[in-house]
């Protein structure tokens, strides 16, 4: 069977990634790297990616968020949102992690998958820096971002943790 044959394994795996990318409003850039979506979701995704890169490499998240937002062509308002979220997470990381531990009582923050923990931090930070936005909308967006960057279970996990805020 040829690699490009529709019945081949590589073809089917790529097709399933493309369907997932379509569902969350992203385009596949590399084998596993989705292009940032537009609008507020793009700002949130830029914040998640920047904070993840910062955690893994020690690079400053603020400059990375700006670079990602620029590359994605986000509007100045959405760039500001990404910057505000990143700044809040960097200033309040300890407080955000303690809040996550209170919401996810079975999991100490350091045991939560890195992407899931960062998505949770970003959602909580957005609630703090944009209190005028409905929490339900921020939670739904966090679930979609978790599905975009996390594991198969990430969306459900993030939904369960943040859903505790609405109870």
């Amino acid at each position: 069977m040829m690699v490009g044959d529709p019945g081949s394994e590589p073809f089917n795996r790529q097709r399933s990634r493309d369907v997932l990318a379509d569902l969350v409003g992203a385009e596949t850039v590399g084998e596993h790297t989705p292009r940032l979506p537009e609008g507020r979701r793009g700002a949130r995704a830029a914040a998640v990616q920047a904070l993840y890169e910062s955690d893994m490499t020690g690079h400053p998240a603020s400059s990375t968020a700006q670079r990602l937002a620029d590359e994605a062509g986000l509007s100045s308002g959405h760039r500001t949102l990404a910057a505000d979220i990143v700044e809040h997470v960097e200033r309040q990381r300890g407080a955000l992690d303690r809040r996550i531990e209170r919401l996810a009582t079975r999991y100490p923050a350091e045991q939560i998958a890195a992407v899931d923990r960062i998505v949770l931090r970003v959602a909580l930070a957005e609630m703090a820096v944009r209190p005028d936005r409905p929490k339900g909308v921020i939670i739904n967006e966090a679930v979609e971002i978790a599905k975009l960057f996390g594991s198969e279970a990430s969306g459900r996990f993030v939904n369960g943790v943040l859903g505790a805020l609405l109870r």
Side-chain angles (χ1 to χ4, degrees):
M1 199 176 285
M2 295 180 58
V3 172
D5 183 338
S8 72
E9 180 63 21
F11 180 90
N12 289 333
R13 263 187 284 141
Q14 181 62 44
R15 179 73 187 125
S16 66
R17 274 195 297 275
D18 293 344
V19 170
L20 177 61
D22 290 342
L23 289 173
V24 297
E27 295 178 31
T28 302
V29 173
E31 187 173 341
H32 300 288
T33 308
R35 179 172 293 143
L36 287 180
E38 297 178 351
R40 288 184 188 151
R41 185 173 293 173
R44 295 172 181 113
V48 167
Q49 282 187 309
L51 290 162
Y52 183 84
E53 183 176 321
S54 178
D55 278 2
M56 297 299 121
T57 66
H59 297 157
S62 57
S63 59
T64 303
Q66 288 302 324
R67 177 183 49 81
L68 291 168
D70 289 344
E71 288 173 1
L74 297 181
S75 71
S76 64
H78 294 129
R79 288 179 185 152
T80 299
L81 174 61
D84 290 349
I85 290 170
V86 166
E87 181 182 319
H88 186 85
V89 169
E90 288 186 321
R91 271 194 343 260
Q92 299 293 322
R93 185 179 312 253
L96 291 169
D97 286 351
R98 286 187 296 278
R99 189 163 184 208
I100 290 167
E101 287 178 341
R102 285 193 305 273
L103 295 169
T105 56
R106 296 181 190 168
Y107 304 95
E110 67 274 358
Q111 290 182 3
I112 296 172
V115 170
D116 297 350
R117 184 176 56 248
I118 292 167
V119 169
L120 291 168
R121 287 174 183 161
V122 164
L124 293 172
E126 184 176 0
M127 288 177 195
V129 300
R130 298 290 193 274
D132 56 314
R133 300 235 170 96
K135 286 182 180 178
V137 170
I138 294 172
I139 291 168
N140 287 338
E141 285 295 310
V143 170
E144 294 305 317
I145 297 290
K147 289 177 185 177
L148 181 63
F149 295 119
S151 70
E152 278 187 39
S154 291
R156 289 186 307 275
F157 177 75
V158 166
N159 188 55
V161 172
L162 294 176
L165 289 171
L166 300 179
R167 292 184 212 122

